[in-house]
Amino acid sequence: MNREIHRHQNRPLPQLHVGHGSHHGALSIFPLWVDSPRVTGLDWKASSIRTAEREGSPVVGELVLHNSTARPIVALEGDLLKGGWQDRMLARSLLLEPFEARVAEVFCVEAGRWGARSVETQGAQEASGRRSALSVRRGNAGGGDGERGGSQQSEVWQRISRFENALGATASSSMLDHLDRSAPLEARPLDGQRGVIIGIGGRVMGAELFGNTAGLRSRWQGILAAAALDAQLAPQRRTTAHDARVFTRHLQGVTLEDGGDAGLARAVRSQQGRLRASGIVNTNEHTNMHTSTSAPPASIIHLTAFDDAHPLLENA
């Protein structure tokens, strides 16, 4: 009974603290600290997830994810999977049970290929912690609008085409090929940091929060590389610390609504004006919800937030 009440009660975010930013051309990054206990006991290594095409006839919008470890493993919305019949990105975050295999929703991020690069790799996908650009992940925060699946895929290809037009075409219109072209960004997360705010072209574009520092570090280089790619489409303007703090205050004010099952986790989402957020939260808490007049802060495993008014998102 308590668990059902816990699942479906809206939850506020924990207290967030923003630090001093660093600037790299059009890209600005600001560290975030999360004032809540760490989520523990999870495997964050993307390489521990084995992925493959569905047996028989592969499907563009589906892949099989297999947890190869004895611990629950985090598979994140926006994670890139290279290989198989097409490069893909995960559409929804999941917390997979130990040794669990399940079909997951994905989007193709390689419009110009359908088929194996070689016999050896035709069923294999590589998960390495690389992340898709925020501008391409924009629709992932919609929260499982199954009836929009076809249009969402077309929108993903359209967003990737902006890189094709602005930066030059790749052999198969692949998000991963565009990331491979970009120079790596030299920056490291700070002690205790569990999130990052991304500013591009003088405006905050979005943020990612993690349940612990290991989670952030597991995707850190992927986040930076994807943000640097988005920044190539924006004017060379810095995002101010004031704007980052304003965004953090707005994010702090959202209430997360239940979004359904996400494996061992629970999906959450929120939309308040131009600010949208989605992610997964831990359900293994022992809180007497029936005796509480207000819900405690959500135990976030991962959360992505977008400012829909950012030019790269508004025009996506």
Side-chain angles (χ1 to χ4, degrees):
M1 177 65 175
N2 289 354
R3 186 173 182 180
E4 287 304 309
I5 295 174
H6 163 72
R7 278 184 169 189
H8 295 97
Q9 187 167 0
N10 293 348
R11 313 294 294 278
L13 263 68
Q15 188 69 37
L16 305 175
H17 306 278
V18 61
H20 295 291
S22 60
H23 307 279
H24 314 267
L27 172 62
S28 299
I29 54 176
F30 299 86
L32 277 176
W33 285 265
V34 183
D35 191 6
S36 68
R38 295 179 299 112
V39 175
T40 60
L42 306 181
D43 190 333
W44 290 90
K45 296 189 294 293
S47 59
S48 295
I49 302 174
R50 303 287 182 259
T51 59
E53 302 288 353
R54 297 199 65 167
E55 290 186 13
S57 178
V59 179
V60 172
E62 295 179 350
L63 285 174
V64 179
L65 273 56
H66 179 251
N67 179 2
S68 64
T69 75
R71 291 198 297 170
I73 195 165
V74 183
L76 290 183
E77 161 272 317
D79 278 352
L80 289 170
L81 307 170
K82 183 179 179 64
W85 285 52
Q86 290 175 316
D87 295 341
R88 316 294 223 294
M89 75 169 171
L90 287 178
R92 309 281 175 256
S93 295
L94 294 167
L95 184 61
L96 300 175
E97 297 182 27
F99 305 113
E100 176 187 9
R102 75 157 58 201
V103 176
E105 182 183 357
V106 295
F107 291 118
C108 171
V109 292
E110 186 184 14
R113 181 173 68 93
W114 179 245
R117 290 189 174 95
S118 69
V119 174
E120 292 79 10
T121 63
Q122 70 176 15
Q125 300 275 158
E126 173 195 345
S128 59
R130 302 180 80 181
R131 307 285 281 152
S132 188
L134 279 176
S135 64
V136 175
R137 292 165 52 197
R138 180 186 189 278
N140 293 2
D145 297 332
E147 70 276 5
R148 289 193 59 231
S151 64
Q152 283 182 288
Q153 177 60 80
S154 297
E155 290 163 7
V156 168
W157 284 330
Q158 182 178 358
R159 293 173 199 133
I160 295 173
S161 73
R162 294 189 298 177
F163 298 116
E164 296 276 302
N165 296 332
L167 307 177
T170 65
S172 57
S173 187
S174 170
M175 163 63 61
L176 278 151
D177 287 348
H178 284 291
L179 288 169
D180 288 341
R181 290 177 170 182
S182 300
L185 184 63
E186 296 298 329
R188 294 181 179 179
L190 304 176
D191 290 342
Q193 181 182 344
R194 283 165 51 183
V196 61
I197 292 177
I198 303 296
I200 293 178
R203 299 269 299 274
V204 172
M205 188 173 186
E208 293 200 48
L209 306 178
F210 291 80
N212 58 34
T213 56
L216 176 65
R217 291 176 184 275
S218 74
R219 303 302 196 275
W220 178 252
Q221 289 302 325
I223 291 171
L224 293 189
L229 181 61
D230 265 335
Q232 294 186 55
L233 303 182
Q236 297 279 314
R237 289 198 289 267
R238 289 185 172 187
T239 304
T240 67
H242 171 76
D243 287 343
R245 289 192 295 269
V246 169
F247 179 86
T248 303
R249 287 198 298 271
H250 288 163
L251 180 58
Q252 182 72 67
V254 307
T255 298
L256 299 175
E257 301 174 356
D258 183 80
D261 287 319
L264 288 177
R266 201 72 187 163
V268 289
R269 67 183 80 169
S270 178
Q271 179 148 15
Q272 295 185 207
R274 64 197 236 187
L275 182 63
R276 275 185 312 125
S278 68
I280 53 175
V281 298
N282 189 26
T283 60
N284 295 324
E285 297 172 352
H286 303 286
T287 305
N288 292 321
M289 299 294 294
H290 64 291
T291 63
S292 178
T293 57
S294 61
S299 182
I300 293 171
I301 296 174
H302 180 259
L303 191 76
T304 303
F306 297 85
D307 180 356
D308 277 340
H310 190 283
L312 288 182
L313 299 179
E314 192 174 41
N315 301 321

